[in-house]
């Protein structure tokens, strides 16, 4: 919070000098901002509550092994009455769950995410897993959650479509009230027709599932959007900006065709930009933030732990792709030249870091951009568990 306050003070000072500044807060994952706007408990607080109340735990598309130290997570899962993981990826959390339910990925379901600029944007299902695998039990997470709630309460489903979920969310969280305007609802039609996901030249539908049968079944029916899983539907200039399924124009294909959809190259979509801003980008600052923390001071007996982020490696899902995984650095601990001298370490040394019951042995990397009295540890790299923020650790050269 103090860092954000400091940035706001800098922007306010620039504005008072006639130099308007734009702030761009980069969030770590898709919909990080949307989840923050929902409110609720932090992961640490939720795990503490599970442990204290011996409650059941439903983990929704999340690997808690990346969110909490091993000792904290193990204690909470051991105390939980039951652990249900709903996910589309195998994870350490799923391996420890009592029940695992297969969730739809972003390509298999619909939803709304909030970008770093506060724009609610709708995404749409690309394909129906059951079309390729008739035995598929993959469902969107909200359908699993509603099913669990119905079993516990012995009640009928409150939601039957994605539109119901969006309206319920907008009605219960005031800051998300406008997400209903992010895209047209499932009842939208152009000339009585849904919008075709597939272009007119689309072919090969029989071949896509020839391993199952050469007889082409009826295309899946989409009750959650104004799109159809077919080339048979509307395609043309009257598609709203949020529902444009692909970019094509005569003589132009894929990204090259987008200029045909814009009022100018790099400009707005002629049919209207997708999504909707949830809050005003030009809100007037209330003035300077007066809460100024004391300057950082190191300690003689410990080091402040600083998280370090990498383009390749710190994001959870991208590292599952071999091409990205090949770019992920090995684990290390970053220290300044002064810290190396104090510890008696060199660039060839290995440091042993201790925080409570957690001990890490990592090779040294000299980095003089770090503040004095700190050690930097990468986030998300293999072999490095999540560590509490603003932690003080001890370190020594490993024998």
């Amino acid at each position: 919070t103090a860092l954000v306050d400091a940035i706001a003070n800098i922007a306010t000072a620039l504005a008072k000098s006639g130099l308007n500044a734009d702030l761009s807060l980069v969030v770590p994952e898709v919909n990080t901002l949307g989840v923050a706007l929902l409110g609720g408990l932090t992961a640490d607080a939720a795990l503490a509550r599970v442990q204290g109340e011996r409650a059941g735990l439903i983990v929704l598309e999340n690997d808690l092994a990346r969110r909490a130290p091993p000792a904290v997570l193990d204690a909470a899962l051991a105390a939980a009455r039951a652990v249900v993981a709903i996910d589309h990826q195998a994870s350490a959390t799923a391996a420890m769950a009592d029940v695992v339910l297969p969730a739809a990925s972003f390509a298999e379901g619909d939803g709304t995410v909030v970008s770093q600029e506060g724009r609610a944007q709708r995404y749409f299902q690309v394909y129906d897993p059951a079309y390729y695998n008739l035995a598929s039990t993959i469902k969107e997470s909200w359908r699993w959650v509603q099913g669990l709630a119905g079993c516990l309460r012995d009640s009928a489903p409150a939601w039957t479509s994605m539109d119901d979920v969006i309206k319920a969310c907008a009605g219960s969280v005031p800051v998300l009230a406008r997400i209903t305007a992010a895209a047209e609802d499932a009842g939208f039609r152009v000339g009585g027709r849904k919008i075709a996901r597939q272009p007119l030249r689309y072919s090969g539908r029989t071949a896509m599932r020839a391993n199952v049968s050469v007889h082409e079944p009826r295309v899946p029916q989409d009750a959650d959007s104004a799109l159809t899983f077919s080339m048979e539907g509307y395609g043309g200039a009257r598609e709203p900006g949020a529902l444009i399924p692909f970019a094509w124009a005569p003589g132009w294909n894929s990204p090259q065709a987008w200029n045909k959809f814009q009022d100018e190259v790099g400009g707005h979509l002629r049919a209207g930009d997708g999504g909707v801003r949830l809050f005003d980008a030009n809100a007037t600052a209330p003035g300077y933030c007066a809460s100024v923390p004391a300057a950082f001071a190191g300690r003689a007996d410990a080091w402040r732990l600083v998280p370090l982020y990498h383009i390749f490696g710190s994001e959870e899902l991208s590292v599952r792709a071999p091409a990205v995984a090949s770019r992920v650095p090995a684990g290390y601990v970053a220290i300044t030249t002064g810290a190396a001298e104090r510890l008696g370490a060199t660039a060839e040394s290995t440091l042993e870091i201790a925080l409570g019951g957690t001990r890490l042995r990592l090779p040294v990397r000299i980095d003089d951009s770090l503040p004095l009295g700190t050690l930097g540890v990468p986030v998300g790299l293999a072999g490095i568990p999540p560590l509490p923020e603003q932690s003080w650790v001890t370190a020594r050269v490993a024998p």
Side-chain angles (χ1 to χ4, degrees), residues 171-224:
S172 60
V173 184
V175 73
L176 299 177
R178 299 187 65 205
I179 64 172
T180 55
E184 285 68 18
D185 61 25
F188 178 82
R189 298 290 185 274
V190 177
R193 292 180 292 170
K194 281 193 166 190
I195 294 174
R197 279 179 168 87
Q198 302 165 356
L200 291 175
R201 297 176 179 176
Y202 192 86
S203 62
R205 288 192 300 192
T206 302
M208 287 192 302
R209 61 188 307 282
N211 63 309
V212 179
S213 173
V214 294
H215 298 288
E216 185 179 332
R218 184 189 184 196
V219 297
Q221 303 303 296
D222 188 356
D224 288 328

